[in-house]
Amino acid sequence: MASSKRQSVTPLRAVLPSGKKDTDFFQQVWALVRLIPRGRVTSYGAIAACLGARSGARMVGWAMNSSHGVHPKVPAHRVVNRVGLLSGKDHFASPTAMQEQLEKEGIKIKDNQIVDFEKHFWDPGQALTGHQL
DNA sequence: TTGTTGACCTCTT
DNA sequence: CAAGAGGCCAACA
């Protein structure tokens, strides 16, 4: 599974705001993900939709890719796809790192899928609620 | 430089 | 109702 695995992603470029403008979307995603409370999960579409509708759901995944070297640490393990499947599991440090992290936070995983995903689902709009951008 | 891939989602047939 | 195609933006070759 997922034989194709990119190792070099050059995240520093996104972290270091040299021109700061192209990475705006990434920082937005990271900021949102960082706001995700422990024991809670969200989906790429929710983040993308909260930022700019269904514009760049794919880019959200790329943002996570860069999040590995981003500080503060971004809980990318709390971000999953629409069905609650650990899509980016293969991209983590370990193939089970994501699941381990989620389980550690109290979230149960079954067959690389989050149990009661909707129950643990965290709406990014909630973070913005009462705290406008 | 252009072309293709990519941790996805939504709309149309 | 189910399946297929499109789309978005960025990075890598």
Side-chain angles (χ1 to χ4, degrees):
Chain A
M1 7 326 217
S3 305
S4 310
K5 136 192 292 214
R6 304 276 163 185
Q7 30 200 19
S8 304
V9 290
T10 322
L12 296 174
R13 190 132 94 154
V15 182
L16 298 175
S18 301
K20 87 256 155 189
K21 104 168 112 146
D22 304 303
T23 60
D24 188 43
F25 189 86
F26 286 65
Q27 291 180 7
Q28 290 258 36
V29 176
W30 297 333
L32 213 70
V33 176
R34 271 182 275 171
L35 294 174
I36 300 176
R38 173 183 157 297
R40 221 39 90 87
V41 285
T42 186
S43 57
Y44 302 94
I47 300 171
C50 190
L51 296 175
R54 56 281 191 142
S55 304
R58 270 169 136 179
M59 294 294 77
V60 180
W62 266 107
M64 299 285 98
N65 210 351
S66 301
S67 66
H68 279 280
V70 176
H71 294 276
K73 275 291 191 170
V74 180
H77 59 269
R78 291 178 188 159
V79 185
V80 293
N81 64 352
R82 228 357 210 145
V83 291
L85 191 77
L86 307 181
S87 38
K89 180 186 72 160
D90 298 331
H91 292 262
F92 268 75
S94 295
T96 50
M98 191 174 186
Q99 180 171 342
E100 288 290 308
Q101 283 287 349
L102 291 170
E103 288 185 331
K104 190 186 295 183
E105 297 194 353
I107 299 176
K108 296 180 177 71
I109 310 299
K110 175 95 179 282
D111 190 27
N112 300 337
Q113 191 169 2
I114 298 179
V115 180
D116 298 329
F117 172 65
E118 296 182 5
K119 196 161 85 153
H120 292 289
F121 185 82
W122 177 80
D123 194 332
Q126 295 259 312
L128 302 179
T129 303
H131 217 292
Q132 209 203 14
L133 290 163

mmCIF file of all heavy atoms in Angstrom, chain A residues 29-71:
data_model
loop_
_atom_site.group_PDB
_atom_site.id
_atom_site.type_symbol
_atom_site.label_atom_id
_atom_site.label_comp_id
_atom_site.label_asym_id
_atom_site.label_seq_id
_atom_site.Cartn_x
_atom_site.Cartn_y
_atom_site.Cartn_z
ATOM 1 N N VAL A 29 -4.322 26.315 7.063
ATOM 2 C CA VAL A 29 -4.644 24.921 7.382
ATOM 3 C C VAL A 29 -3.971 24.508 8.679
ATOM 4 O O VAL A 29 -4.603 23.954 9.575
ATOM 5 C CB VAL A 29 -4.195 23.984 6.254
ATOM 6 C CG1 VAL A 29 -4.443 22.536 6.620
ATOM 7 C CG2 VAL A 29 -4.921 24.335 4.965
ATOM 8 N N TRP A 30 -2.702 24.797 8.773
ATOM 9 C CA TRP A 30 -1.959 24.430 9.991
ATOM 10 C C TRP A 30 -2.596 25.067 11.211
ATOM 11 O O TRP A 30 -2.779 24.420 12.237
ATOM 12 C CB TRP A 30 -0.509 24.887 9.879
ATOM 13 C CG TRP A 30 0.236 24.221 8.760
ATOM 14 C CD1 TRP A 30 -0.028 22.983 8.230
ATOM 15 C CD2 TRP A 30 1.346 24.737 8.028
ATOM 16 N NE1 TRP A 30 0.857 22.714 7.219
ATOM 17 C CE2 TRP A 30 1.714 23.778 7.081
ATOM 18 C CE3 TRP A 30 2.070 25.934 8.105
ATOM 19 C CZ2 TRP A 30 2.779 23.964 6.204
ATOM 20 C CZ3 TRP A 30 3.130 26.119 7.238
ATOM 21 C CH2 TRP A 30 3.480 25.143 6.295
ATOM 22 N N ALA A 31 -2.922 26.329 11.089
ATOM 23 C CA ALA A 31 -3.535 27.046 12.219
ATOM 24 C C ALA A 31 -4.822 26.364 12.647
ATOM 25 O O ALA A 31 -5.087 26.192 13.834
ATOM 26 C CB ALA A 31 -3.803 28.489 11.808
ATOM 27 N N LEU A 32 -5.592 25.967 11.689
ATOM 28 C CA LEU A 32 -6.865 25.329 11.994
ATOM 29 C C LEU A 32 -6.648 23.971 12.647
ATOM 30 O O LEU A 32 -7.269 23.623 13.636
ATOM 31 C CB LEU A 32 -7.665 25.168 10.700
ATOM 32 C CG LEU A 32 -9.171 25.278 10.919
ATOM 33 C CD1 LEU A 32 -9.522 26.713 11.271
ATOM 34 C CD2 LEU A 32 -9.912 24.846 9.682
ATOM 35 N N VAL A 33 -5.745 23.212 12.078
ATOM 36 C CA VAL A 33 -5.464 21.877 12.614
ATOM 37 C C VAL A 33 -4.910 21.972 14.025
ATOM 38 O O VAL A 33 -5.223 21.165 14.896
ATOM 39 C CB VAL A 33 -4.463 21.141 11.704
ATOM 40 C CG1 VAL A 33 -4.072 19.794 12.302
ATOM 41 C CG2 VAL A 33 -5.062 20.949 10.318
ATOM 42 N N ARG A 34 -4.101 22.983 14.237
ATOM 43 C CA ARG A 34 -3.520 23.176 15.570
ATOM 44 C C ARG A 34 -4.600 23.481 16.601
ATOM 45 O O ARG A 34 -4.423 23.216 17.791
ATOM 46 C CB ARG A 34 -2.513 24.323 15.525
ATOM 47 C CG ARG A 34 -1.131 23.817 15.158
ATOM 48 C CD ARG A 34 -0.133 24.933 15.170
ATOM 49 N NE ARG A 34 -0.153 25.632 13.895
ATOM 50 C CZ ARG A 34 0.507 26.766 13.679
ATOM 51 N NH1 ARG A 34 1.204 27.299 14.626
ATOM 52 N NH2 ARG A 34 0.478 27.351 12.522
ATOM 53 N N LEU A 35 -5.690 24.016 16.147
ATOM 54 C CA LEU A 35 -6.778 24.360 17.056
ATOM 55 C C LEU A 35 -7.636 23.141 17.393
ATOM 56 O O LEU A 35 -8.521 23.204 18.230
ATOM 57 C CB LEU A 35 -7.644 25.437 16.406
ATOM 58 C CG LEU A 35 -6.895 26.766 16.222
ATOM 59 C CD1 LEU A 35 -7.756 27.740 15.444
ATOM 60 C CD2 LEU A 35 -6.531 27.347 17.582
ATOM 61 N N ILE A 36 -7.373 22.061 16.723
ATOM 62 C CA ILE A 36 -8.165 20.854 16.983
ATOM 63 C C ILE A 36 -7.870 20.338 18.384
ATOM 64 O O ILE A 36 -6.728 20.022 18.700
ATOM 65 C CB ILE A 36 -7.835 19.756 15.955
ATOM 66 C CG1 ILE A 36 -8.151 20.253 14.541
ATOM 67 C CG2 ILE A 36 -8.643 18.504 16.266
ATOM 68 C CD1 ILE A 36 -7.751 19.253 13.475
ATOM 69 N N PRO A 37 -8.889 20.248 19.225
ATOM 70 C CA PRO A 37 -8.728 19.758 20.597
ATOM 71 C C PRO A 37 -8.362 18.281 20.623
ATOM 72 O O PRO A 37 -8.589 17.551 19.664
ATOM 73 C CB PRO A 37 -10.100 19.991 21.225
ATOM 74 C CG PRO A 37 -11.058 20.061 20.078
ATOM 75 C CD PRO A 37 -10.272 20.562 18.900
ATOM 76 N N ARG A 38 -7.817 17.850 21.737
ATOM 77 C CA ARG A 38 -7.389 16.465 21.865
ATOM 78 C C ARG A 38 -8.611 15.541 21.907
ATOM 79 O O ARG A 38 -9.618 15.860 22.510
ATOM 80 C CB ARG A 38 -6.585 16.318 23.144
ATOM 81 C CG ARG A 38 -6.246 14.893 23.452
ATOM 82 C CD ARG A 38 -5.508 14.865 24.792
ATOM 83 N NE ARG A 38 -5.612 13.588 25.428
ATOM 84 C CZ ARG A 38 -6.759 13.052 25.828
ATOM 85 N NH1 ARG A 38 -7.867 13.698 25.604
ATOM 86 N NH2 ARG A 38 -6.757 11.895 26.414
ATOM 87 N N GLY A 39 -8.472 14.415 21.239
ATOM 88 C CA GLY A 39 -9.579 13.469 21.188
ATOM 89 C C GLY A 39 -10.616 13.871 20.159
ATOM 90 O O GLY A 39 -11.739 13.418 20.173
ATOM 91 N N ARG A 40 -10.220 14.728 19.271
ATOM 92 C CA ARG A 40 -11.157 15.211 18.263
ATOM 93 C C ARG A 40 -10.529 15.093 16.884
ATOM 94 O O ARG A 40 -9.311 15.135 16.754
ATOM 95 C CB ARG A 40 -11.486 16.675 18.559
ATOM 96 C CG ARG A 40 -12.946 17.022 18.369
ATOM 97 C CD ARG A 40 -13.888 15.950 18.831
ATOM 98 N NE ARG A 40 -14.310 16.024 20.195
ATOM 99 C CZ ARG A 40 -15.346 16.735 20.631
ATOM 100 N NH1 ARG A 40 -16.044 17.439 19.855
ATOM 101 N NH2 ARG A 40 -15.682 16.683 21.867
ATOM 102 N N VAL A 41 -11.314 14.931 15.879
ATOM 103 C CA VAL A 41 -10.781 14.761 14.525
ATOM 104 C C VAL A 41 -11.592 15.581 13.521
ATOM 105 O O VAL A 41 -12.718 15.971 13.793
ATOM 106 C CB VAL A 41 -10.816 13.286 14.107
ATOM 107 C CG1 VAL A 41 -9.718 12.507 14.795
ATOM 108 C CG2 VAL A 41 -12.186 12.684 14.400
ATOM 109 N N THR A 42 -11.020 15.817 12.395
ATOM 110 C CA THR A 42 -11.704 16.578 11.349
ATOM 111 C C THR A 42 -11.313 16.039 9.981
ATOM 112 O O THR A 42 -10.481 15.159 9.868
ATOM 113 C CB THR A 42 -11.340 18.072 11.453
ATOM 114 O OG1 THR A 42 -12.117 18.784 10.523
ATOM 115 C CG2 THR A 42 -9.881 18.285 11.210
ATOM 116 N N SER A 43 -11.903 16.591 8.975
ATOM 117 C CA SER A 43 -11.633 16.103 7.618
ATOM 118 C C SER A 43 -11.038 17.210 6.754
ATOM 119 O O SER A 43 -11.202 18.397 7.042
ATOM 120 C CB SER A 43 -12.931 15.601 6.996
ATOM 121 O OG SER A 43 -13.899 16.625 6.991
ATOM 122 N N TYR A 44 -10.364 16.818 5.718
ATOM 123 C CA TYR A 44 -9.730 17.775 4.816
ATOM 124 C C TYR A 44 -10.770 18.723 4.224
ATOM 125 O O TYR A 44 -10.565 19.931 4.154
ATOM 126 C CB TYR A 44 -9.010 17.032 3.695
ATOM 127 C CG TYR A 44 -7.972 16.078 4.202
ATOM 128 C CD1 TYR A 44 -8.272 14.732 4.406
ATOM 129 C CD2 TYR A 44 -6.689 16.526 4.492
ATOM 130 C CE1 TYR A 44 -7.316 13.856 4.868
ATOM 131 C CE2 TYR A 44 -5.723 15.655 4.961
ATOM 132 C CZ TYR A 44 -6.047 14.315 5.145
ATOM 133 O OH TYR A 44 -5.106 13.450 5.607
ATOM 134 N N GLY A 45 -11.857 18.138 3.810
ATOM 135 C CA GLY A 45 -12.908 18.944 3.191
ATOM 136 C C GLY A 45 -13.435 19.996 4.144
ATOM 137 O O GLY A 45 -13.725 21.120 3.745
ATOM 138 N N ALA A 46 -13.551 19.639 5.412
ATOM 139 C CA ALA A 46 -14.066 20.587 6.404
ATOM 140 C C ALA A 46 -13.137 21.780 6.504
ATOM 141 O O ALA A 46 -13.575 22.926 6.549
ATOM 142 C CB ALA A 46 -14.195 19.882 7.747
ATOM 143 N N ILE A 47 -11.867 21.513 6.528
ATOM 144 C CA ILE A 47 -10.887 22.592 6.617
ATOM 145 C C ILE A 47 -10.900 23.426 5.347
ATOM 146 O O ILE A 47 -10.985 24.645 5.385
ATOM 147 C CB ILE A 47 -9.478 22.007 6.840
ATOM 148 C CG1 ILE A 47 -9.457 21.207 8.139
ATOM 149 C CG2 ILE A 47 -8.448 23.112 6.881
ATOM 150 C CD1 ILE A 47 -8.187 20.417 8.317
ATOM 151 N N ALA A 48 -10.829 22.734 4.243
ATOM 152 C CA ALA A 48 -10.835 23.436 2.958
ATOM 153 C C ALA A 48 -12.120 24.235 2.804
ATOM 154 O O ALA A 48 -12.105 25.383 2.373
ATOM 155 C CB ALA A 48 -10.696 22.421 1.829
ATOM 156 N N ALA A 49 -13.212 23.639 3.186
ATOM 157 C CA ALA A 49 -14.504 24.310 3.068
ATOM 158 C C ALA A 49 -14.550 25.525 3.981
ATOM 159 O O ALA A 49 -15.131 26.549 3.642
ATOM 160 C CB ALA A 49 -15.610 23.332 3.418
ATOM 161 N N CYS A 50 -13.958 25.415 5.136
ATOM 162 C CA CYS A 50 -13.968 26.511 6.098
ATOM 163 C C CYS A 50 -13.092 27.663 5.603
ATOM 164 O O CYS A 50 -13.381 28.824 5.821
ATOM 165 C CB CYS A 50 -13.458 26.009 7.445
ATOM 166 S SG CYS A 50 -13.721 27.227 8.748
ATOM 167 N N LEU A 51 -12.034 27.324 4.921
ATOM 168 C CA LEU A 51 -11.125 28.354 4.422
ATOM 169 C C LEU A 51 -11.644 28.941 3.121
ATOM 170 O O LEU A 51 -11.940 30.118 3.035
ATOM 171 C CB LEU A 51 -9.740 27.750 4.223
ATOM 172 C CG LEU A 51 -9.108 27.271 5.531
ATOM 173 C CD1 LEU A 51 -7.801 26.570 5.238
ATOM 174 C CD2 LEU A 51 -8.895 28.442 6.466
ATOM 175 N N GLY A 52 -11.731 28.081 2.114
ATOM 176 C CA GLY A 52 -12.177 28.590 0.831
ATOM 177 C C GLY A 52 -13.018 27.579 0.103
ATOM 178 O O GLY A 52 -12.707 27.180 -0.997
ATOM 179 N N ALA A 53 -14.069 27.127 0.747
ATOM 180 C CA ALA A 53 -14.980 26.171 0.123
ATOM 181 C C ALA A 53 -14.222 24.960 -0.408
ATOM 182 O O ALA A 53 -13.134 24.639 0.045
ATOM 183 C CB ALA A 53 -15.738 26.852 -0.990
ATOM 184 N N ARG A 54 -14.813 24.291 -1.353
ATOM 185 C CA ARG A 54 -14.156 23.091 -1.888
ATOM 186 C C ARG A 54 -13.140 23.500 -2.936
ATOM 187 O O ARG A 54 -13.176 23.018 -4.043
ATOM 188 C CB ARG A 54 -15.188 22.174 -2.491
ATOM 189 C CG ARG A 54 -15.974 22.907 -3.525
ATOM 190 C CD ARG A 54 -17.034 23.788 -2.927
ATOM 191 N NE ARG A 54 -17.829 24.185 -4.071
ATOM 192 C CZ ARG A 54 -19.111 24.313 -4.055
ATOM 193 N NH1 ARG A 54 -19.703 24.326 -2.933
ATOM 194 N NH2 ARG A 54 -19.767 24.497 -5.112
ATOM 195 N N SER A 55 -12.272 24.373 -2.543
ATOM 196 C CA SER A 55 -11.289 24.876 -3.500
ATOM 197 C C SER A 55 -10.083 23.969 -3.563
ATOM 198 O O SER A 55 -9.723 23.479 -4.624
ATOM 199 C CB SER A 55 -10.845 26.272 -3.090
ATOM 200 O OG SER A 55 -11.975 27.100 -2.988
ATOM 201 N N GLY A 56 -9.459 23.774 -2.417
ATOM 202 C CA GLY A 56 -8.240 22.977 -2.448
ATOM 203 C C GLY A 56 -8.213 21.926 -1.363
ATOM 204 O O GLY A 56 -7.393 21.970 -0.444
ATOM 205 N N ALA A 57 -9.114 21.004 -1.452
ATOM 206 C CA ALA A 57 -9.103 19.925 -0.463
ATOM 207 C C ALA A 57 -7.804 19.145 -0.585
ATOM 208 O O ALA A 57 -7.227 18.689 0.394
ATOM 209 C CB ALA A 57 -10.292 18.998 -0.707
ATOM 210 N N ARG A 58 -7.322 19.040 -1.793
ATOM 211 C CA ARG A 58 -6.077 18.316 -2.022
ATOM 212 C C ARG A 58 -4.905 19.059 -1.399
ATOM 213 O O ARG A 58 -3.984 18.471 -0.871
ATOM 214 C CB ARG A 58 -5.835 18.205 -3.521
ATOM 215 C CG ARG A 58 -6.443 16.966 -4.083
ATOM 216 C CD ARG A 58 -6.410 17.040 -5.587
ATOM 217 N NE ARG A 58 -5.981 15.778 -6.088
ATOM 218 C CZ ARG A 58 -5.857 15.509 -7.356
ATOM 219 N NH1 ARG A 58 -6.140 16.415 -8.236
ATOM 220 N NH2 ARG A 58 -5.462 14.377 -7.722
ATOM 221 N N MET A 59 -4.940 20.332 -1.505
ATOM 222 C CA MET A 59 -3.850 21.142 -0.963
ATOM 223 C C MET A 59 -3.750 20.978 0.535
ATOM 224 O O MET A 59 -2.684 21.084 1.108
ATOM 225 C CB MET A 59 -4.076 22.605 -1.304
ATOM 226 C CG MET A 59 -3.976 22.856 -2.788
ATOM 227 S SD MET A 59 -2.344 22.583 -3.440
ATOM 228 C CE MET A 59 -2.273 20.806 -3.524
ATOM 229 N N VAL A 60 -4.865 20.727 1.168
ATOM 230 C CA VAL A 60 -4.847 20.508 2.612
ATOM 231 C C VAL A 60 -3.925 19.334 2.930
ATOM 232 O O VAL A 60 -3.142 19.380 3.875
ATOM 233 C CB VAL A 60 -6.269 20.214 3.129
ATOM 234 C CG1 VAL A 60 -6.253 19.976 4.630
ATOM 235 C CG2 VAL A 60 -7.194 21.366 2.788
ATOM 236 N N GLY A 61 -4.005 18.323 2.138
ATOM 237 C CA GLY A 61 -3.126 17.161 2.345
ATOM 238 C C GLY A 61 -1.673 17.556 2.153
ATOM 239 O O GLY A 61 -0.793 17.155 2.911
ATOM 240 N N TRP A 62 -1.429 18.367 1.157
ATOM 241 C CA TRP A 62 -0.054 18.825 0.930
ATOM 242 C C TRP A 62 0.430 19.660 2.112
ATOM 243 O O TRP A 62 1.586 19.613 2.499
ATOM 244 C CB TRP A 62 0.008 19.655 -0.343
ATOM 245 C CG TRP A 62 0.381 18.803 -1.514
ATOM 246 C CD1 TRP A 62 -0.434 18.386 -2.524
ATOM 247 C CD2 TRP A 62 1.672 18.254 -1.784
ATOM 248 N NE1 TRP A 62 0.276 17.611 -3.402
ATOM 249 C CE2 TRP A 62 1.572 17.514 -2.982
ATOM 250 C CE3 TRP A 62 2.912 18.315 -1.142
ATOM 251 C CZ2 TRP A 62 2.662 16.839 -3.535
ATOM 252 C CZ3 TRP A 62 3.993 17.642 -1.698
ATOM 253 C CH2 TRP A 62 3.852 16.918 -2.879
ATOM 254 N N ALA A 63 -0.451 20.426 2.658
ATOM 255 C CA ALA A 63 -0.093 21.251 3.814
ATOM 256 C C ALA A 63 0.342 20.343 4.957
ATOM 257 O O ALA A 63 1.289 20.629 5.681
ATOM 258 C CB ALA A 63 -1.290 22.094 4.228
ATOM 259 N N MET A 64 -0.354 19.260 5.121
ATOM 260 C CA MET A 64 -0.008 18.303 6.181
ATOM 261 C C MET A 64 1.367 17.720 5.912
ATOM 262 O O MET A 64 2.150 17.473 6.813
ATOM 263 C CB MET A 64 -1.027 17.189 6.218
ATOM 264 C CG MET A 64 -2.429 17.650 6.520
ATOM 265 S SD MET A 64 -2.685 18.083 8.215
ATOM 266 C CE MET A 64 -2.496 19.857 8.094
ATOM 267 N N ASN A 65 1.652 17.524 4.650
ATOM 268 C CA ASN A 65 2.939 16.965 4.283
ATOM 269 C C ASN A 65 4.054 17.877 4.769
ATOM 270 O O ASN A 65 5.087 17.417 5.255
ATOM 271 C CB ASN A 65 2.998 16.818 2.761
ATOM 272 C CG ASN A 65 3.878 15.663 2.381
ATOM 273 O OD1 ASN A 65 4.554 15.091 3.226
ATOM 274 N ND2 ASN A 65 3.890 15.311 1.120
ATOM 275 N N SER A 66 3.855 19.134 4.654
ATOM 276 C CA SER A 66 4.848 20.095 5.102
ATOM 277 C C SER A 66 4.811 20.265 6.613
ATOM 278 O O SER A 66 5.734 20.777 7.207
ATOM 279 C CB SER A 66 4.584 21.451 4.435
ATOM 280 O OG SER A 66 4.649 21.288 3.031
ATOM 281 N N SER A 67 3.723 19.865 7.199
ATOM 282 C CA SER A 67 3.534 20.070 8.637
ATOM 283 C C SER A 67 4.500 19.238 9.464
ATOM 284 O O SER A 67 4.632 19.432 10.662
ATOM 285 C CB SER A 67 2.102 19.700 9.017
ATOM 286 O OG SER A 67 1.902 18.317 8.828
ATOM 287 N N HIS A 68 5.182 18.335 8.821
ATOM 288 C CA HIS A 68 6.104 17.474 9.580
ATOM 289 C C HIS A 68 7.243 18.288 10.189
ATOM 290 O O HIS A 68 7.744 17.978 11.261
ATOM 291 C CB HIS A 68 6.669 16.384 8.669
ATOM 292 C CG HIS A 68 5.706 15.260 8.512
ATOM 293 N ND1 HIS A 68 5.542 14.269 9.457
ATOM 294 C CD2 HIS A 68 4.816 14.980 7.535
ATOM 295 C CE1 HIS A 68 4.617 13.440 9.050
ATOM 296 N NE2 HIS A 68 4.150 13.835 7.909
ATOM 297 N N GLY A 69 7.659 19.292 9.490
ATOM 298 C CA GLY A 69 8.778 20.104 9.993
ATOM 299 C C GLY A 69 8.297 21.458 10.461
ATOM 300 O O GLY A 69 9.082 22.358 10.673
ATOM 301 N N VAL A 70 7.009 21.581 10.649
ATOM 302 C CA VAL A 70 6.446 22.863 11.056
ATOM 303 C C VAL A 70 6.346 22.944 12.572
ATOM 304 O O VAL A 70 6.072 21.968 13.244
ATOM 305 C CB VAL A 70 5.045 23.047 10.448
ATOM 306 C CG1 VAL A 70 4.413 24.330 10.935
ATOM 307 C CG2 VAL A 70 5.145 23.052 8.934
ATOM 308 N N HIS A 71 6.579 24.110 13.079
ATOM 309 C CA HIS A 71 6.438 24.329 14.508
ATOM 310 C C HIS A 71 5.532 25.509 14.760
ATOM 311 O O HIS A 71 5.657 26.514 14.094
ATOM 312 C CB HIS A 71 7.815 24.579 15.123
ATOM 313 C CG HIS A 71 8.690 23.385 15.036
ATOM 314 N ND1 HIS A 71 8.650 22.357 15.953
ATOM 315 C CD2 HIS A 71 9.607 23.026 14.117
ATOM 316 C CE1 HIS A 71 9.532 21.450 15.606
ATOM 317 N NE2 HIS A 71 10.118 21.820 14.493
#
